Amino acid sequence: MRLLERIRKEWFMIGIVLAIAGAKLEPSIGVNGGPLKPEITVSYIAVATIFFNSGLSLNTEFADSRLHASPCVFCSDFNQGSWWK
């Protein structure tokens, strides 16, 4: 039972070790043009996932204040940009 508890506690580190071991055994999966298409998955999907997860961890009070300020900043920036034309 202690082994199962240890695995549940260290699941992330075990996953990283397994991913590194898999990459060492079969590197052709992750090369450019390979089945994982890292030129797309790393540059777009991974970055979008990171920002999405960061957004989920925001406090709702902080997010509400930012959502209120965003249209004000956009409108003032838009108005000031049109002054120069």
Side-chain angles (χ1 to χ4, degrees):
M1 193 64 173
R2 288 183 52 88
L3 179 63
L4 187 59
E5 290 173 9
R6 184 72 174 186
I7 290 173
R8 284 184 181 165
K9 183 180 177 187
E10 302 289 338
W11 67 270
F12 188 71
M13 190 60 69
I14 293 170
I16 289 175
V17 169
L18 289 175
I20 292 171
K24 180 73 172 166
L25 294 173
E26 195 62 42
S28 63
I29 294 174
V31 298
N32 281 344
L36 285 182
K37 304 256 187 270
E39 59 274 3
I40 296 171
T41 55
V42 171
S43 59
Y44 296 110
I45 298 172
V47 172
T49 303
I50 290 168
F51 277 104
F52 181 73
N53 284 335
S54 296
L56 289 177
S57 66
L58 289 176
N59 291 335
T60 55
E61 296 86 17
F62 180 74
D64 289 342
S65 67
R66 287 291 181 157
L67 289 175
H68 176 69
S70 298
C72 299
V73 171
F74 174 73
C75 291
S76 66
D77 186 41
F78 179 74
N79 290 335
Q80 288 175 1
S82 61
W83 286 351
W84 301 107
K85 292 181 181 179

